[in-house]
Amino acid sequence: AATMSTATADAGEQQTQPQSPSSSQSYRVLALYKFVTPPLPKDQLKTIQAALDAKCRSHKCRGTLLLAEEGINGTICYPHDAVDDGHSNNSNEDHDDVLRYIQSIVNGGLRIRISIAPYPVFTRLKIKVKQEIVSMHRQDLCCPTTRVGTYVPPSRWNDLLLDPDCLVIDTR
């Protein structure tokens, strides 16, 4: 059986104990983002950070979340017992206090990708307030929710990559 080795955690946080992937405990992994209009109030970002940190720590979350006036971005994981009601691997917020809370910060509409892991995929929790989520260092650029490119359906993606006049910039 596969096990996870003990990971070092921040002071005051529990260490991860070896755990079998077949145990009843599973971890929900949320990859999320949302650019908001109007922007989050700059003078409230530290307050939002503190409240989000408290909520995440109360649910033993790990990972990184970035907050800025333009919105939120990050990936976190937290214990999430599989429930036999069909809600354990979807975005049903009625069964997920962490997701419901993060949605409330950005007034809903969070873009999320959910997966399940047999053990924590991060060692600690970091919630950072940044000047920009996507650092462009240019004040003349408009909000990412109002200036967008052309949507490309998945069926046309490979054709686009083969176009010699197309430049793709991967920002992962």
Side-chain angles (χ1 to χ4, degrees):
T3 60
M4 190 177 94
S5 59
T6 302
T8 304
D10 285 341
E13 292 184 23
Q14 278 188 323
Q15 289 190 340
T16 304
Q17 297 301 315
Q19 193 167 30
S20 166
S22 62
S23 73
S24 63
Q25 180 71 67
S26 64
Y27 292 80
R28 179 170 267 193
V29 182
L30 291 182
L32 57 92
Y33 78 92
K34 182 173 181 193
F35 292 110
V36 296
T37 302
L40 295 173
K42 187 174 189 171
D43 62 343
Q44 292 181 19
L45 288 176
K46 289 288 188 186
T47 303
I48 294 169
Q49 177 191 30
L52 183 56
D53 185 78
K55 176 62 80 172
C56 286
R57 289 191 189 281
S58 74
H59 288 280
K60 300 178 182 167
C61 295
R62 299 174 183 200
T64 301
L65 293 172
L66 304 177
L67 287 170
E69 290 178 80
E70 65 197 272
I72 188 168
N73 188 2
T75 305
I76 57 172
C77 73
Y78 48 94
H80 185 76
D81 295 321
V83 182
D84 289 331
D85 64 0
H87 299 294
S88 62
N89 194 24
N90 67 27
S91 62
N92 187 325
E93 296 166 38
D94 295 336
H95 295 78
D96 190 327
D97 194 39
V98 174
L99 178 55
R100 188 173 54 247
Y101 185 77
I102 296 171
Q103 287 277 28
S104 73
I105 292 170
V106 295
N107 296 318
L110 201 61
R111 301 290 304 240
I112 56 173
R113 177 92 38 170
I114 298 174
S115 56
I116 301 295
Y119 49 82
V121 295
F122 303 108
T123 58
R124 62 185 174 160
L125 177 65
K126 295 181 281 183
I127 301 176
K128 299 177 180 181
V129 172
K130 307 285 277 181
Q131 289 290 341
E132 302 171 284
I133 290 176
V134 179
S135 295
M136 300 293 283
H137 306 290
R138 289 184 51 192
Q139 298 301 318
D140 61 324
L141 296 177
C142 69
C143 176
T145 60
T146 58
R147 183 173 181 213
V148 297
T150 303
Y151 174 77
V152 178
S155 62
R156 295 230 334 106
W157 180 248
N158 287 340
D159 293 337
L160 187 63
L161 292 177
L162 295 174
D163 183 343
D165 293 327
C166 177
L167 173 65
V168 175
I169 301 172
D170 186 348
T171 61
R172 289 178 285 179

